[in-house]
Amino acid sequence: MRDAVEKNEPEAGLDRLHTYVVKFVRARCEERGISCPREKPLHSIFGEYVKRLRQEGQIRSEIPSGS
């Protein structure tokens, strides 16, 4: 990612960052038994992950919604 930014290729850097985040979140979900088929978008997977963390008591505070 850093290499892409240093080469003035921010789109490539963002693409690599997205790929990394998707793999990272999918791995965390799999650790908790959350199904994450390839066609499921990142925002849906992340939402299920956060829901599971709340159920497990790992997240205790609510995130305020935008105004």
Side-chain angles (χ1 to χ4, degrees):
M1 291 177 279
R2 182 180 299 152
D3 186 50
V5 172
E6 289 173 356
K7 290 180 178 179
N8 198 27
E9 298 173 350
E11 296 87 358
L14 285 174
D15 184 57
R16 289 184 182 108
L17 176 61
H18 180 267
T19 300
Y20 171 79
V21 171
V22 169
K23 288 181 179 185
F24 180 84
V25 173
R26 286 183 188 279
R28 301 297 73 80
C29 287
E30 289 174 3
E31 289 172 356
R32 287 185 158 74
I34 300 168
S35 172
C36 46
R38 294 190 68 78
E39 65 274 0
K40 189 179 285 188
L42 177 60
H43 68 276
S44 296
I45 297 168
F46 199 78
E48 290 185 40
Y49 180 65
V50 170
K51 182 178 177 181
R52 180 66 57 89
L53 291 178
R54 283 193 177 120
Q55 290 171 346
E56 294 175 355
Q58 300 294 318
I59 297 177
R60 295 188 182 109
S61 64
E62 292 292 319
I63 299 172
S65 60
S67 50

